[in-house]
């Protein structure tokens, strides 16, 4: 979950590298660093904080970053605190090798004790062990390439890594190695780049070669040599990434999160256009996916965080329209505590990034058992889309803010389309989505209402609750995650009926309790639950649907089929979270301790 950029070119590379690193800050922003290797002198600068902090240090120290090859890193700390020493790039003891790392080296302590007892370490990180090992093997007489291979061979099989390594003696080369952590090599006429996410280098190229686990690439300014895990040179075709670099800019918005909330109506339209033809018939879904799903006796949806919440909602489409039983699992739980499966299971992975390590671990284990798998992801060509049997896109465009918004609604819509494709929704989904997009926009256009709700209900609060029943409970989980992860208000989302079984003891005078009431079956019951909290002093805020509205409700959502209500009810929750965070003066896009792509377990 760290951001990595490397560039070896014919022109100066420091500014394009820093620009790329800035784009990847969403992957980690505890600390950052850059190393430029220009043959005669080397420049290493590190800072705590993000790329702007790094630029400040560069300026303060009057560093001249002249050079045509370099590597840089923005960190999300795993081993060792957040300080300059622990920031990457790490340097070998004699200053010959420089390395940046994304991932975790499980056995770094053992390696230190076994091979590096005489080395003076500068940091507490697992990553530094890798660069010191390379240095040791080179001193033992091996080439840089072989030393990198030897270093990798010593890492525990569970270790996740992507490394960029530079050698002062070969200043134009960037050595790249990867296992489990994502890494792409980008090709251009002005040199070649390496990045942990294509978004970081779209200004330079749209053509990439993917690296598979265990492979090493040696990237020079005018060629890329790729080697398999046995050290044998291999060839691989490049692929084109069709994202406009401007899609990754904030444009007129103060924060990516607000931009991405605003884009949800467009995303609904994009999905509809992509998956339906002009005659309302499904398109762009491989018939083999439909067949494999129809052949299955049960679906297992596997996902993490917000994507897991989207899976809870999606379950309803598959059960009601496709008549298949569905179980929804948190990936990190499924991977190590697999339940007894049905005879013919079909696995659906939901993942915005396509790189989530927990989900990938589950995918690896399912594939070992030979079951069919499908990934729904916002990033095609990501690890989980490549490694599953089938993949379908979410069409949401790059999502940069750590707090996921448009990917959640896209995942719900994509699941509804898939369930419609394999079953019978008895609806014209294309028409429904067209209406939903219009309603989404009307809610988005009512921002000031949610700004006021956030201000009135949350300004000085330490805790809050979201409740609902059935589908409204599913949205409550997501609403609570949104609020807590960016505003740091401790928020619980749960099934309203559970209140009286324990949690109601937390209700104090003015504790904010938000309720979703969009499901007719349970509307009366949730109103009862919310009254119970009001009787104990809670400040209650009800978000209802037209059909279930009562006077005094804080916001009434337009009526759409109840099974789709999550697509509307989540938007007020996203906006309330956004404004509550703004009220606290916090950085909405970069909540503390978090990163966008969680590529460690
Ligand atoms: O990329 P993924 O959808 O697999 O990521 C899973 C979670 O890390 C992610 O949904 C996370 O919970 C959200 N960014 C929170 O807003």
């Amino acid at each position: 979950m760290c951001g990595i950029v490397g560039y070896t070119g014919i022109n100066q590379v420091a500014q394009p590298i820093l620009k790329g690193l800035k784009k990847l800050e969403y992957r980690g922003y505890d600390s950052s660093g850059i190393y430029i290797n220009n043959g005669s002198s080397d420049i290493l600068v590190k800072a705590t904080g993000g790329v702007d902090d790094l630029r400040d240090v560069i300026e303060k120290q009057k560093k001249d970053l002249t050079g045509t090859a370099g590597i840089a890193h923005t960190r999300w700390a795993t081993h060792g605190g957040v300080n300059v020493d622990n920031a990457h790039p790490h340097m070998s003891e004699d200053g010959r090798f420089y390395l940046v790392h994304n991932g975790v080296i499980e056995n770094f302590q053992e390696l230190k004790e076994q091979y590096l007892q005489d080395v003076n370490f500068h940091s507490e990180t697992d990553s530094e062990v890798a660069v010191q090992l390379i240095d040791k093997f080179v001193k033992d007489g091996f080439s840089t390439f072989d030393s990198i291979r030897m270093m990798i061979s010593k890492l525990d099989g569970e270790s996740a890594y992507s490394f960029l390594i530079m050698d002062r003696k070969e200043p134009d080369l960037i050595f790249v190695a990867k296992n489990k952590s994502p890494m792409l090599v980008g090709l251009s006429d002005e040199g070649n780049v390496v990045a942990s996410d294509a978004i970081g280098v779209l200004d330079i190229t749209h053509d990439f070669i993917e690296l598979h686990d265990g492979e090493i690439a040696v990237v020079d300014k005018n060629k890329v040599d790729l080697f398999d895990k046995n050290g044998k040179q291999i060839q691989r075709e490049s692929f084109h990434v069709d994202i406009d670099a401007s899609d990754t800019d904030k444009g007129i918005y103060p924060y990516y999160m607000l931009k991405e909330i605003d884009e949800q109506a467009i995303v609904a339209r994009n999905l509809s256009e992509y998956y339906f033809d002009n005659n309302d018939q499904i398109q762009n879904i491989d018939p083999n996916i439909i067949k494999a799903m129809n052949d299955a006796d049960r679906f297992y949806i596997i996902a993490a965080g917000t994507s897991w919440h989207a899976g809870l909602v999606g379950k309803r489409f598959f059960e009601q329209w496709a008549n298949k039983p569905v179980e929804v699992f948190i990936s990190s739980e499924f991977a190590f505590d697999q339940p007894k499966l049905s005879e013919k299971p079909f696995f659906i992975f939901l993942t915005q990034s396509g790189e989530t390590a927990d989900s990938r671990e589950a995918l690896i284990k399912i594939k070992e058992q030979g079951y069919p798998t499908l990934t729904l992801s916002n990033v095609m060509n990501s690890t989980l889309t490549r490694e599953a049997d089938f993949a379908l896109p979410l069409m949401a465009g790059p999502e940069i803010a750590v707090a996921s918004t448009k990917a959640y609604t896209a995942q719900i819509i994509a699941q509804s389309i898939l369930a419609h494709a394999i079953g019978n929704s008895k609806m014209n989904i294309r028409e429904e989505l067209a209406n939903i997009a219009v309603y989404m926009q009307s809610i988005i256009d009512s921002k000031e209402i949610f700004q006021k709700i956030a201000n009135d209900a949350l300004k000085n609060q330490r805790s809050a609750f979201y409740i609902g029943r059935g589908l409204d409970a599913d949205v409550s989980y997501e609403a609570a995650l949104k609020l807590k992860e960016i505003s740091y208000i401790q928020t619980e989302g749960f099934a309203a009926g559970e209140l009286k079984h324990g949690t109601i003891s937390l209700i104090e005078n003015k504790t904010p309790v938000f309720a979703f009431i969009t499901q007719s079956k349970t509307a009366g019951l949730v109103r009862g639950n919310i009254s119970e909290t009001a009787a104990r002093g809670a400040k209650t805020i009800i978000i209802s649907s037209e059909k279930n509205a009562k006077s005094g409700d804080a916001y009434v959502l337009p009526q759409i089929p109840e099974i789709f209500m999550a697509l509307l009810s989540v938007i007020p929750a996203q906006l309330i979270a956004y404004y509550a965070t703004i009220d606290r003066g916090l950085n909405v896009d970069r909540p503390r301790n978090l990163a966008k792509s969680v590529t460690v377990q």
Side-chain angles (χ1 to χ4, degrees), residues 280-349:
D280 302 334
Q281 298 303 305
I282 289 285
Q283 62 180 6
N284 290 325
I285 298 184
D286 178 350
N288 290 319
I289 298 180
I290 313 242
K291 179 172 182 325
M293 293 184 84
N294 278 325
D295 285 350
D297 64 1
R298 186 176 289 257
F299 298 162
Y300 292 82
I301 298 176
I302 315 278
T306 290
S307 297
W308 177 62
H309 298 155
L312 297 175
V313 176
K315 166 185 163 84
R316 295 161 197 281
F317 299 115
F318 294 117
E319 290 194 334
Q320 292 179 35
W321 298 350
N323 199 25
K324 297 279 183 191
V326 181
E327 292 183 44
V328 189
F329 283 92
I330 294 173
S331 8
S332 55
E333 288 297 304
F334 187 94
F336 300 97
D337 193 14
Q338 183 175 309
K340 182 165 168 42
L341 301 176
S342 66
E343 265 176 35
K344 296 192 79 181
F346 183 89
F347 288 88
I348 302 170
F349 285 83

Side-chain angles (χ1 to χ4, degrees), residues 304-307 350-354 356 359 402-404 411 481-482 485 596 598:
T306 290
S307 297
L350 293 180
T351 168
Q352 189 284 128
S353 63
T356 302
S359 300
V402 166
S404 186
Q411 284 170 339
L481 177 61
K482 268 326 59 108
E485 72 176 321
K596 181 73 176 164
V598 186

Side-chain angles (χ1 to χ4, degrees), residues 481-545:
L481 177 61
K482 268 326 59 108
L483 182 57
K484 75 179 115 178
E485 72 176 321
I486 58 173
S487 72
Y488 316 145
I489 297 170
Q490 187 161 3
T491 315
E492 276 194 61
F494 58 97
E498 280 291 284
L499 258 182
K500 58 187 175 297
H501 296 294
T503 317
I504 200 162
S505 67
L506 294 175
I507 303 293
E508 293 172 352
N509 195 28
K510 295 215 173 75
T511 303
V513 179
F514 294 84
F516 293 114
I517 306 184
T518 73
Q519 303 296 300
S520 304
K521 258 197 314 216
T522 51
L525 289 168
V526 181
R527 288 211 183 262
N529 298 137
I530 198 88
S531 303
E532 288 153 15
T533 66
R536 285 153 183 90
K539 175 168 179 55
T540 61
I541 305 106
I542 297 177
I543 297 166
S544 58
S545 57

